[in-house]
C-alpha cells in the first residue's frame, strides 16, 4: 500500500515536471525584442497625408534661347581657315573662320566709289556757291548741289556701316567672328570649303551655358497634371544618383504631331558647365492627388513571397506582422490602401531584421 502510494507520488511529480518543462519551452519560443535589436531599429507613427504622385519623363539639356547665337557667312567664298572646334569656349569678337571672297572686293569698290562721289559732290557744291555769289547761277542750282552732297554722304555712311558691322577690312578677306562669348555647340564649316553666295544655313552656333534648360516630353494623357512652377527633380544619365532640383519654367503649348507629346522646360543652374547640351536626363515632376491615405516611410515595407508586410509595434513582446496593400511609393514615402490604421506605431529601420526574427 505504501509502495503504491510512493509510486503514485513519483508519477505525479514527473508529470508536473514534464508540464512545467513544456510550459517553459512554449514561453521561450515567444519573440521578445531585445535591447540590442531595439538599438538597431527606429519607429514611426502612421499619419494620414495627401497623396503625392510624380510623372517620370525623358528629357535632354538645351541652352537658353536668348543666350544662344547662330553665326552666318554673309559672303560666299573660299574658307582658308577654321580656328575652332566643337566644344571650344570662345570670346566675343574672336575670329572663328577666315573666308577669301570676291564679294569683299566688291564692298571695297563700293567704298572707293562712295568716297569719290563725296569728294565730287563737295567740289560741285563749292562751285555752285561761288557761281551763285557771282550771280551766274540760281539758288536752285545750289540746293541741287547740296542734295547731291547729302546723298553722297549717306551712301558713304551706309557702306562704312556695312563694313563695320561685318568687320570687313580693306582686302578680300572676311573674318567670321563670335557675336557672343560661349561654347561652340554646332559647326557646319571646314577648311578648303567653297561657300556659295547667299548661303542661308548657319555655320556656327555659340551658346552660353551658365544656365541651361532640361526640355522634357509630356504625353497627352498627362498634360492635365502639369502646371507652371511645379517642382521637378532631374537625374542626368552622365551623373547617376545625383538629383538636381528645379521647377517647370515654361510649357510649350504645341503638340508634336509625330510623338504626340508636349514639351516642358526646367531651368537649372550650371556651375562649372557640368551640364552639356544634348545630355540625356530623366525628369520627375511632382504633383498632389485629390485624396488622402495612411503614409509610411518606404523602407518600413517588407516584401516577401509576393506580398507586402509592415511590422506593427504594440510592446516589446507584441510585434505584429501585418499584411498591407500599398497604393503608391513616391519620394521615399509609401501610401497604404488597406491593412493599416492611422496612429499605429510601426518599425521603420531594419524592419526586415525583425520580420525574419519573428517569421523564420
Amino acid at each position: 500500500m505504501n509502495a503504491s502510494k510512493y509510486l503514485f507520488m513519483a508519477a505525479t511529480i514527473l508529470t508536473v515536471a514534464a508540464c512545467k518543462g513544456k510550459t517553459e519551452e512554449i514561453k521561450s519560443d515567444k519573440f521578445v525584442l531585445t535591447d540590442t535589436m531595439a538599438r538597431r531599429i527606429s519607429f514611426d507613427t502612421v499619419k494620414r497625408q495627401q497623396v503625392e504622385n510624380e510623372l517620370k519623363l525623358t528629357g535632354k539639356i538645351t541652352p537658353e534661347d536668348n543666350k544662344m547665337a547662330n553665326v552666318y557667312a554673309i559672303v560666299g567664298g573660299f574658307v582658308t581657315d577654321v580656328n575652332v572646334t566643337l566644344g571650344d569656349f570662345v570670346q566675343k569678337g574672336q575670329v572663328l573662320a577666315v573666308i577669301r571672297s570676291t564679294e569683299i572686293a566688291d564692298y571695297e569698290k563700293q567704298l572707293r566709289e562712295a568716297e569719290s562721289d563725296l569728294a565730287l559732290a563737295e567740289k560741285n557744291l563749292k562751285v555752285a556757291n561761288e557761281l551763285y555769289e557771282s550771280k551766274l547761277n540760281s539758288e536752285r542750282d545750289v540746293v541741287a548741289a547740296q542734295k547731291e552732297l547729302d546723298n553722297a554722304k549717306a551712301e558713304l555712311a551706309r557702306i562704312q556701316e556695312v563694313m563695320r558691322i561685318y568687320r570687313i577690312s580693306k582686302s578680300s578677306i572676311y573674318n567670321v567672328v563670335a557675336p557672343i562669348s560661349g561654347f561652340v555647340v554646332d559647326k557646319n564649316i571646314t577648311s578648303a570649303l567653297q561657300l556659295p553666295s547667299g548661303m542661308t544655313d548657319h555655320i556656327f552656333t555659340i551658346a552660353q551655358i551658365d544656365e541651361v534648360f532640361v526640355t522634357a516630353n509630356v504625353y497627352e494623357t498627362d498634360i492635365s497634371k502639369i502646371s507652371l512652377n511645379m517642382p521637378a527633380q532631374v537625374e542626368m544619365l552622365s551623373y547617376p544618383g545625383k538629383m538636381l532640383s528645379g521647377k517647370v519654367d515654361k510649357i510649350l503649348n504645341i503638340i508634336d504631331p509625330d510623338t504626340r507629346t508636349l514639351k516642358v522646360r526646367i531651368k537649372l543652374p550650371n556651375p562649372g558647365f557640368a551640364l552639356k547640351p544634348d545630355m540625356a536626363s530623366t525628369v520627375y515632376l511632382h504633383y498632389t492627388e485629390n485624396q488622402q491615405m495612411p503614409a509610411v516611410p518606404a523602407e518600413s515595407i517588407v516584401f516577401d513571397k509576393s506580398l507586402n508586410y509592415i511590422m506593427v509595434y504594440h510592446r516589446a513582446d507584441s510585434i505584429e506582422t501585418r499584411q498591407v496593400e500599398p497604393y503608391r511609393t513616391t519620394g521615399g514615402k509609401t501610401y497604404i490602401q488597406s491593412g493599416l490604421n492611422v496612429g499605429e506605431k510601426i518599425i521603420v529601420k531594419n524592419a526586415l531584421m525583425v520580420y525574419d526574427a519573428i517569421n523564420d
Side-chain angles (χ1 to χ4, degrees):
M1 182 72 176
N2 289 335
S4 299
K5 181 178 181 180
Y6 288 133
L7 287 173
F8 175 77
M9 292 177 62
T12 302
I13 292 170
L14 289 172
T15 301
V16 171
C19 292
K20 182 178 180 182
K22 185 176 181 181
T23 302
E24 289 177 351
E25 183 180 347
I26 292 173
K27 184 177 180 180
S28 65
D29 285 344
K30 185 175 182 179
F31 177 80
V32 178
L33 188 67
T34 64
D35 292 340
T36 302
M37 293 182 72
R39 285 192 292 269
R40 297 177 60 186
I41 65 176
S42 63
F43 302 95
D44 197 6
T45 301
V46 180
K47 302 177 182 66
R48 183 176 295 277
Q49 296 182 3
Q50 204 78 22
V51 176
E52 296 179 0
N53 205 339
E54 68 181 14
L55 292 176
K56 185 177 179 180
L57 313 173
T58 58
K60 69 175 183 177
I61 297 294
T62 55
E64 191 170 348
D65 292 344
N66 59 3
K67 291 186 176 182
M68 186 166 61
N70 289 326
V71 182
Y72 297 87
I74 58 130
V75 297
F78 184 78
V79 180
T80 60
D81 294 289
V82 177
N83 301 326
V84 296
T85 60
L86 278 174
D88 285 355
F89 181 82
V90 297
Q91 297 286 350
K92 181 179 180 179
Q94 180 177 332
V95 176
L96 307 177
V98 178
I99 302 172
R100 185 177 294 278
S101 173
T102 56
E103 294 179 40
I104 298 299
D106 183 60
Y107 280 116
E108 293 178 38
K109 178 183 177 183
Q110 291 181 44
L111 177 64
R112 288 193 299 269
E113 289 176 350
E115 290 172 341
S116 297
D117 289 347
L118 177 62
L120 180 60
E122 288 175 341
K123 184 177 179 179
N124 289 340
L125 178 61
K126 182 179 179 182
V127 171
N129 280 325
E130 290 174 351
L131 292 175
Y132 178 71
E133 290 173 0
S134 301
K135 309 295 184 182
L136 297 177
N137 67 358
S138 64
E139 184 179 357
R140 179 180 295 178
D141 296 324
V142 175
V143 172
Q146 180 64 55
K147 185 175 181 180
E148 288 181 6
L149 177 61
D150 292 341
N151 290 339
K153 286 181 178 179
E155 179 61 15
L156 178 60
R158 184 189 70 80
I159 296 299
Q160 289 174 334
E161 183 65 16
V162 169
M163 297 185 74
R164 182 164 50 251
I165 290 173
Y166 297 131
R167 295 178 172 86
I168 298 173
S169 60
K170 292 185 177 182
S171 67
S172 60
I173 298 299
Y174 170 61
N175 291 323
V176 181
V177 300
I180 61 173
S181 297
F183 289 88
V184 178
V185 297
D186 194 16
K187 172 177 168 287
N188 301 303
I189 187 174
T190 59
S191 295
L193 179 69
Q194 182 67 43
L195 294 178
S197 179
M199 180 177 175
T200 57
D201 295 333
H202 65 273
I203 56 176
F204 294 102
T205 300
I206 299 172
Q208 297 175 344
I209 57 172
D210 52 324
E211 284 186 322
V212 293
F213 286 113
V214 176
T215 303
N217 298 316
V218 181
Y219 287 102
E220 282 188 271
T221 53
D222 295 323
I223 289 177
S224 62
K225 301 170 185 175
I226 63 171
S227 60
L228 280 175
N229 300 316
M230 69 186 304
Q233 286 189 308
V234 180
E235 183 177 20
M236 306 304 303
L237 184 64
S238 304
Y239 309 108
K242 182 179 180 181
M243 286 292 184
L244 305 174
S245 297
K247 60 182 180 179
V248 174
D249 179 80
K250 187 173 183 179
I251 300 173
L252 283 68
N253 292 305
I254 299 174
I255 299 292
D256 187 315
D258 297 323
T259 62
R260 308 306 304 172
T261 60
L262 176 146
K263 295 185 183 301
V264 297
R265 299 193 317 189
I266 297 98
K267 181 181 286 189
L268 293 175
N270 191 19
F273 308 121
L275 305 179
K276 318 293 184 187
D278 291 322
M279 274 187 171
S281 64
T282 301
V283 178
Y284 302 91
L285 297 182
H286 303 282
Y287 65 96
T288 302
E289 294 186 6
N290 190 27
Q291 61 177 327
Q292 291 185 341
M293 287 185 180
V296 298
E299 63 178 313
S300 65
I301 302 292
V302 177
F303 184 75
D304 186 31
K305 298 176 183 177
S306 301
L307 297 174
N308 295 278
Y309 300 94
I310 282 183
M311 307 309 295
V312 181
Y313 181 87
H314 302 292
R315 299 184 308 275
D317 62 347
S318 179
I319 299 176
E320 178 186 354
T321 302
R322 181 87 59 82
Q323 182 184 340
V324 296
E325 184 179 352
Y327 171 69
R328 177 176 286 113
T329 297
T330 304
K333 190 181 297 182
T334 298
Y335 301 91
I336 305 299
Q337 286 191 103
S338 62
L340 202 60
N341 299 314
V342 173
E344 291 188 296
K345 189 174 183 180
I346 62 171
I347 296 175
V348 178
K349 183 180 178 181
N350 286 324
L352 179 59
M353 175 187 70
V354 178
Y355 175 88
D356 289 339
I358 294 175
N359 296 284
D360 284 353

